[in-house]
Amino acid sequence: MDIFSNPFTSIGDILQPLWFVITHGGWVAIAGVVFYILYKLYYFEIVTQFVDSQKWVYLSIKVPRENLTSTLAVEQIFTQFHALFSSLTFTNKYIEGKIMLWYSLEIVSLGGKVSFIIRAPFDSKELVEAAVYSQYPAAEVVEVNDYLENIEYDQENSDFDLWGSEFVLTGDPTIPIKTYKEFEHPTAEQKIIDPLAPLFESMSKMQPWEFYGVQIIIQPIDEGTWHPASDEKAKKLLGEKLPTKVTLLDILLMPFN
């Protein structure tokens, strides 16, 4: 019963060690944590404002059915898309909240009508058009409206049944995924087998009231951020001896070794 009759004694016992830590330099750590949280909130806010201020354009890509251009042409298009990359200064990142923008490569089926859509920053519209026309001169690139702008979804009152999922890379990003080259048959008359044919077949069979969409987000990055890791992985797979990396922890433990 003593603990209930004099609760301030127990509270004082709890706060006394905390006060000792604060008065003996612990306030620096607490201030650092508070500053870090405020910085994260500030950075999230300025990045959100920057993204919300961007204008986007939707471009429908139509390629002739009799197109015989190699799939390598698409790879060249992606290479040209990298021109969106620009080095960001300290002011751009932490004052203006700028981040590297991205493209959304989309295959959508509206009632069985399959379309190729590229969602891109408005300022890169001419870049996308030039990249497509350089590889597919007979293609048609037409600006369209957002295909979902007239769809309003209310989880409680909507008549729509909505389902979606997201795929992310779980393995080592330096290991290449299966590419179109693995679908080439060296002895067949038709060298390239379209790996998307089953997907197109399914999407073309959508009912008039159904929608299906696949979106692939691509974002240009600095080559210096992935080249070193890729080179190291390649050497490791080849069995080459890698130089030993000395970490800060190794330096701190050196006297004890």
Side-chain angles (χ1 to χ4, degrees):
M1 296 296 294
D2 293 341
I3 188 173
F4 294 103
S5 60
N6 191 5
F8 295 102
T9 302
S10 59
I11 295 177
D13 293 340
I14 295 174
L15 294 180
Q16 185 175 359
L18 179 61
W19 179 252
F20 177 83
V21 172
I22 294 176
T23 55
H24 288 75
W27 64 271
V28 177
I30 297 175
V33 172
V34 173
F35 176 80
Y36 178 78
I37 295 175
L38 293 177
Y39 160 73
K40 282 295 185 180
L41 294 174
Y42 158 78
Y43 185 73
F44 176 79
E45 178 63 25
I46 60 176
V47 169
T48 302
Q49 292 179 5
F50 171 74
V51 174
D52 292 342
S53 66
Q54 299 304 305
K55 293 180 60 178
W56 300 86
V57 62
Y58 291 79
L59 299 175
S60 175
I61 312 298
K62 298 180 180 179
V63 179
R65 288 182 176 271
E66 62 276 9
N67 168 68
L68 298 178
T69 306
S70 169
T71 313
L72 179 63
V74 182
E75 186 174 321
Q76 298 300 320
I77 291 177
F78 292 157
T79 301
Q80 292 179 260
F81 282 179
H82 192 272
L84 180 66
F85 176 82
S86 61
S87 299
L88 300 176
T89 64
F90 179 88
T91 303
N92 295 146
K93 289 183 179 180
Y94 304 109
I95 303 300
E96 301 173 1
K98 290 185 177 181
I99 59 174
M100 192 58 56
L101 296 178
W102 58 88
Y103 303 95
S104 179
L105 312 178
E106 306 176 0
I107 307 175
V108 299
S109 174
L110 293 170
K113 180 182 178 182
V114 181
S115 301
F116 294 89
I117 305 292
I118 296 181
R119 181 179 185 264
F122 183 81
D123 293 339
S124 65
K125 175 184 176 181
E126 296 181 357
L127 169 64
V128 174
E129 293 176 338
V132 174
Y133 286 136
S134 64
Q135 303 298 326
Y136 298 94
E140 295 182 20
V141 182
V142 182
E143 183 175 350
V144 296
N145 294 329
D146 181 1
Y147 50 86
L148 293 178
E149 65 180 0
N150 295 323
I151 297 180
E152 296 183 0
Y153 178 74
D154 185 350
Q155 188 173 0
E156 296 181 357
N157 304 317
S158 177
D159 296 330
F160 293 106
D161 290 327
L162 183 64
W163 176 86
S165 65
E166 181 178 359
F167 293 89
V168 296
L169 187 63
T170 58
D172 191 332
T174 59
I175 302 296
I177 61 176
K178 191 173 185 180
T179 67
Y180 66 92
K181 296 179 181 179
E182 275 71 33
F183 292 89
E184 295 182 358
H185 197 290
T187 60
E189 294 182 1
Q190 186 179 0
K191 293 291 184 181
I192 298 178
I193 301 174
D194 188 359
L196 296 177
L199 175 64
F200 294 153
E201 183 68 22
S202 301
M203 297 180 76
S204 64
K205 293 182 178 180
M206 293 288 107
Q207 298 299 321
W209 59 86
E210 292 180 324
F211 163 80
Y212 189 94
V214 178
Q215 301 175 338
I216 301 176
I217 309 300
I218 61 174
Q219 183 184 44
I221 62 175
D222 187 2
E223 293 186 358
T225 60
W226 65 272
H227 259 298
S230 300
D231 293 340
E232 181 178 339
K233 187 66 175 182
K235 293 179 180 178
K236 185 176 180 180
L237 293 175
L238 291 173
E240 297 183 13
K241 187 176 181 180
L242 300 176
T244 304
K245 293 183 178 180
V246 179
T247 64
L248 178 60
L249 181 61
D250 295 332
I251 297 175
L252 295 177
L253 296 178
M254 193 175 296
F256 300 97
N257 293 333

